[in-house]
Amino acid sequence: MVGSPFDGLPVEIKVQVMENLDAKSLLRCASVSWSMYLTFRSSSVLQYLVKLALYGMEDTGSSVPHPNISPLLDDHRRAWELLNWKRTTTIEVAPHCQAYELVADVFASSDGSKLCIVGLPSSTSDGYTMTRTPDVSFRDFAIDPTQDIVAFLEVSIQSAQRIHVRNISTNAPLIILGFSIPPNNNFKNPVLQFGHDLLGLYYTSRILIWNWRQGSLIFDSSLEKLSHHIDDFVFLSRDALLVTSTALHLYVFNPPSSVTLVATLHLPVTPHHRLGAQIKVHSGPLHARPPPGALFTPSSSERIQVLSVGYGLNLKYTMYVHTRTLLHYVEHYRNGEALPELVVPWDLWGTHGTRFMKRDAQRVWLRYAHGQRVIQQRDTASGTEIDVIDFNYIPSSSSSSSSSSSSPSGSISDLPLNPLHGDSFRRTTVTRSQPTVLAPSTSGGLGSFSGARHDSPFVTEISTSLPYHVSSVSLPLALYACMIDDERVIGVQMDQADIKLVVYSL
């Protein structure tokens, strides 16, 4: 069989060409011919690119040679799999925490008058602290250390409101963004978030989004004729957002100042229209650049979205879905493969694309999700047990080959234990062949649905099968809350107004 002209090129040229392919295309090329396979196997660069995609990571463009980075990437993955941290540091932070953030290796907290910033220690560095005192009192703030920016929502009892955007390092003002609260509008629990050059504000069923660099308001939900109410929102990318109501609504930005509803993804059917879900959403931050010094970083399109789903007062669930699953509908619209306002029933997207579970752990602080990992905690008689749930688990040669079945209730805490290192760790892998199954309602009819904690809000049995892996560790200390980023588990201890961070650096 005569090889292709490409096979006759020098290996160096073939590698340069193949470097422009995505991981899936690279693997396809490697399976085309023996020559292409040998080219792939001979290149540490090509193998590193595939490994990055496999782990849901991106290269940061450092000057470190790829053969040196690849083992570090493997070590990073293994450390998370075993929860094998190299260093533990306790840090006292400012008391009276009114608001806080964890973004790009930085923890920041405020009491409404000053901002205390902690550059978190890693396994190789000690970190730093600084304090910023703006000349305004503020209700909330958002930071993106990769852009050296902070936004303060000023305290005001007037209808006119202001957001001050400043440099973190110098406190120098960059721009002031203004907006108005309509008469009789309930301005409760405002939350700011950055997404690249976007700054979003959510409060009481209203979303405002600015391009903070240009100072332009590009979306105000109160001026749009939306077909649904708003429970929450999150940036999926710099040009797409997820808005939640009783369903998931995917929007894209159309410059300069409008949005298009791309798709509405419905949740499982409930026995009564008044039993619609209330959905809050949380994920890792969407910052503009990698943290300084990072060799690789989680891909923004691979982030896990954690949806807290409530039906009435008693029925609480957590649903997990990859950002890429949601962006799939955005890409189809952008490529002209789908019309806007697509309506997607649960059965067409939720069964294999999500994991829907009964909520079995109370999360008192945010920043419990980062990349494709989620952390949760449970109090024990001797301290705290921590679960790190990885929704991109890839077994390594050091992994246990056994896997366990999920419980009928779909509760992570009900999964069988597989001890490792004594009884401190457990490791459990759930695959697509082991779905979480939620039973339908046991009530006799629509009018008799009880909404009790033991009942179910669903008309039919719900089965979901997004794979995940759980690594757990028992800690001999009580923690008020837990947070996570790409390099650390961060425990929060509170004693009245005093706050300590216990930083476990991997």
Side-chain angles (χ1 to χ4, degrees), residues 192-267:
L192 291 167
Q193 59 176 291
F194 276 111
H196 289 268
D197 49 3
L198 302 177
L199 176 63
L201 170 67
Y202 169 77
Y203 77 92
T204 321
S205 299
R206 184 186 182 190
I207 300 171
L208 298 107
I209 298 175
W210 294 264
N211 182 314
W212 67 266
R213 292 185 181 276
Q214 300 174 358
S216 58
L217 180 66
I218 60 177
F219 178 64
D220 181 349
S221 63
S222 67
L223 303 179
E224 304 281 342
K225 295 181 180 179
L226 303 183
S227 59
H228 56 83
H229 69 275
I230 298 172
D231 282 337
D232 206 352
F233 96 99
V234 69
F235 291 119
L236 297 178
S237 67
R238 66 190 310 167
D239 65 352
L241 71 154
L242 165 66
V243 179
T244 66
S245 62
T246 57
L248 311 185
H249 310 277
L250 306 176
Y251 286 87
V252 295
F253 295 108
N254 298 312
S257 59
S258 66
V259 297
T260 296
L261 175 61
V262 171
T264 295
L265 279 58
H266 284 281
L267 268 61

Side-chain angles (χ1 to χ4, degrees), residues 213-427:
R213 292 185 181 276
Q214 300 174 358
S216 58
L217 180 66
I218 60 177
F219 178 64
D220 181 349
S221 63
S222 67
L223 303 179
E224 304 281 342
K225 295 181 180 179
L226 303 183
S227 59
H228 56 83
H229 69 275
I230 298 172
D231 282 337
D232 206 352
F233 96 99
V234 69
F235 291 119
L236 297 178
S237 67
R238 66 190 310 167
D239 65 352
L241 71 154
L242 165 66
V243 179
T244 66
S245 62
T246 57
L248 311 185
H249 310 277
L250 306 176
Y251 286 87
V252 295
F253 295 108
N254 298 312
S257 59
S258 66
V259 297
T260 296
L261 175 61
V262 171
T264 295
L265 279 58
H266 284 281
L267 268 61
V269 176
T270 57
H272 198 285
H273 71 276
R274 287 181 296 180
L275 195 65
Q278 182 183 44
I279 307 173
K280 294 293 184 179
V281 60
H282 183 62
S283 66
L286 181 66
H287 40 74
R289 289 181 282 274
L295 300 177
F296 38 78
T297 189
S299 169
S300 61
S301 63
E302 298 291 335
R303 292 177 301 152
I304 197 75
Q305 300 290 335
V306 185
L307 297 120
S308 299
V309 185
Y311 297 90
L313 296 177
N314 297 316
L315 301 174
K316 307 295 182 183
Y317 297 83
T318 301
M319 186 173 75
Y320 305 92
V321 58
H322 279 293
T323 298
R324 66 171 180 265
T325 299
L326 305 176
L327 290 178
H328 164 80
Y329 296 95
V330 173
E331 291 167 2
H332 271 235
Y333 168 74
R334 292 290 196 195
N335 295 334
E337 300 170 4
L339 296 174
E341 301 187 22
L342 179 70
V343 177
V344 187
W346 168 258
D347 290 344
L348 296 184
W349 79 278
T351 301
H352 298 294
T354 74
R355 183 68 69 161
F356 209 122
M357 298 180 174
K358 287 185 178 179
R359 192 181 307 173
D360 66 345
Q362 183 66 32
R363 299 184 177 101
V364 292
W365 277 34
L366 297 179
R367 293 308 178 210
Y368 54 79
H370 190 88
Q372 300 186 73
R373 299 185 183 94
V374 177
I375 192 168
Q376 65 180 29
Q377 69 189 83
R378 287 184 301 278
D379 295 335
T380 65
S382 58
T384 306
E385 183 168 353
I386 291 174
D387 294 332
V388 174
I389 312 164
D390 189 342
F391 286 91
N392 189 38
Y393 175 62
I394 302 163
S396 68
S397 58
S398 64
S399 299
S400 168
S401 60
S402 64
S403 27
S404 61
S405 302
S406 61
S407 63
S409 67
S411 167
I412 288 176
S413 62
D414 292 335
L415 292 172
L417 301 185
N418 180 18
L420 178 72
H421 305 314
D423 60 356
S424 295
F425 285 80
R426 71 179 183 195
R427 304 170 69 196

Side-chain angles (χ1 to χ4, degrees), residues 92-97 109 114 116 118 497-499:
E92 293 190 14
V93 298
H96 307 292
C97 179
S109 61
K114 63 179 180 294
C116 299
V118 178
D498 296 329
I499 303 174

